[in-house]
Amino acid sequence: VAGKSSQLPFPIDSANDLLHWCMKTGLTIHEVVMENERSWRDELLIKSELLEIWRVMKECMYTGCHVSGVLPGGLKVNRRAADLNKKLLEGRPDQSYEEWIKSIRDGGRDFKYILDWVSCFALAVNEVNASFGRVVTAPTNGAAGVIPAVLQYFISFCGGDEEKIISFLLTAGEIGSIFKKGATLSAAMGGCQAEIGVSSAMAAAAITEALGGTQRQSLMAAEIAMEHHLGLTCDPIGGLVQIPCIERNTMGAIKAITASQLALQSKPDCAKVSLDNVIRTMWNTALDIKRKYKETSDG
């Protein structure tokens, strides 16, 4: 029940805390997170609200893939997701999200085809964001396309039911929380590494667990994803979250999937850098980045 005891069974401030509880209890990351969430609200409510988040993400992607035109603002940026969607589906019409996903799956599993769809999903979300549409902040609006794109990739090409969606979002949310506690989610404070970098790390950990990875592999995937966003500056052209922000979501999504695959094929015990170490490095980098390279500034 909402508002009941806030004494968490598994207090978590760092990735090491999370791993400690996973190793001590044998629970997966998403199971640990669910136990903590139950301190605030009923499990059925948690699941229903997570599925509502996914519903909004789905609606956002579907809308973005079916609306053409020019984005508002002085840059006159053309929407690309709808044209790419039409090209990939070879003009086949759809009347609902379900029909759309079926058509996507029917197109095969060619690497280039899947790669194009991941980019299309991410573009769609951030074109909706850039046109004052409704998105799910994950962890920010400017980085809102990464997690939906990676989750949609997982559902479309790897399989997955409602329980997998719920566990994916629980895991992603916990990784985002750890970054917020140890560094920042704000591009104004940390540059784009704090937005696209964090969203990529969140998605990497979540899909690794969804694909059967261990707790250590999931945390390793998050570390890999962030490691290769370190130092990423943020200064949208014209102060609009359009260039390079929209495209960066495609990059963050692809890096998340790549990081996951690397982690799944690796031995985490041999890793030289922990997730907590990379979070500290990210924060130190954020402090060192000049102000003019941090969001709508003077760069």
Side-chain angles (χ1 to χ4, degrees):
V1 177
K4 71 178 183 180
S5 172
S6 59
Q7 181 66 42
L8 301 184
F10 308 119
I12 297 168
D13 289 316
S14 67
N16 191 54
D17 290 340
L18 175 58
L19 183 59
H20 165 76
W21 292 120
C22 287
M23 295 300 98
K24 184 173 183 177
T25 63
L27 298 175
T28 63
I29 292 175
H30 78 265
E31 288 171 339
V32 168
V33 179
M34 177 60 84
E35 287 302 308
N36 279 344
E37 288 294 320
R38 288 177 60 198
S39 298
W40 292 298
R41 55 183 72 83
D42 179 76
E43 184 170 334
L44 289 178
L45 179 60
I46 296 167
K47 289 183 175 182
S48 68
E49 291 185 345
L50 285 169
L51 290 175
E52 172 63 13
I53 286 173
W54 174 235
R55 185 193 68 77
V56 176
M57 287 180 171
K58 288 191 300 183
E59 185 178 277
C60 183
M61 274 185 288
Y62 186 75
T63 299
C65 282
H66 293 81
V67 177
S68 300
V70 178
L71 293 172
L75 298 179
K76 306 297 182 185
V77 175
N78 289 316
R79 288 176 178 261
R80 286 184 284 174
D83 289 342
L84 180 54
N85 175 72
K86 187 175 181 180
K87 181 179 180 181
L88 291 172
L89 292 181
E90 299 178 339
R92 295 190 299 275
D94 56 79
Q95 301 298 319
S96 67
Y97 168 83
E98 288 71 25
E99 287 184 15
W100 180 55
I101 295 303
K102 183 179 184 306
S103 293
I104 291 171
R105 288 174 176 151
D106 289 345
R109 300 180 62 83
D110 177 77
F111 175 75
K112 182 179 179 298
Y113 177 77
I114 294 175
L115 192 65
D116 283 342
W117 272 118
V118 175
S119 294
C120 188
F121 298 148
L123 287 173
V125 173
N126 285 82
E127 287 175 355
V128 170
N129 178 61
S131 56
F132 307 104
R134 189 185 191 198
V135 300
V136 175
T137 303
T140 65
N141 280 17
V146 175
I147 289 172
V150 175
L151 181 48
Q152 188 63 76
Y153 155 78
F154 173 71
I155 291 169
S156 300
F157 299 105
C158 306
D161 54 19
E162 284 191 349
E163 287 301 316
K164 283 288 187 179
I165 293 167
I166 290 166
S167 64
F168 187 105
L169 294 176
L170 286 169
T171 300
E174 185 60 47
I175 298 302
S177 176
I178 290 170
F179 268 98
K180 183 175 182 180
K181 292 170 182 175
T184 180
L185 306 179
S186 166
M189 292 179 68
C192 202
Q193 59 173 359
E195 297 203 11
I196 293 295
V198 173
S199 65
S200 186
M202 292 166 68
I207 193 170
T208 299
E209 188 176 69
L211 290 171
T214 65
Q215 302 97 323
R216 290 181 184 273
Q217 285 175 323
S218 295
L219 296 179
M220 184 181 187
E223 182 276 321
I224 293 171
M226 172 51 74
E227 191 171 47
H228 302 289
H229 283 92
L230 287 174
L232 187 61
T233 61
C234 178
D235 188 20
I237 293 175
L240 299 173
V241 188
Q242 295 181 0
I243 300 174
C245 315
I246 296 173
E247 284 183 356
R248 279 190 175 171
N249 280 264
T250 72
M251 299 296 106
I254 297 301
K255 283 186 179 182
I257 295 169
T258 303
S260 174
Q261 290 303 120
L262 281 171
L264 287 167
Q265 300 301 327
S266 301
K267 296 179 180 178
D269 288 343
C270 297
K272 303 297 183 183
V273 181
S274 70
L275 179 54
D276 284 330
N277 283 339
V278 88
I279 291 173
R280 281 192 291 272
T281 301
M282 176 205 155
W283 180 236
N284 289 332
T285 304
L287 296 175
D288 288 340
I289 294 175
K290 291 184 178 181
R291 177 179 174 274
K292 71 177 184 177
Y293 299 123
K294 296 178 182 178
E295 199 175 48
T296 60
S297 193
D298 304 319

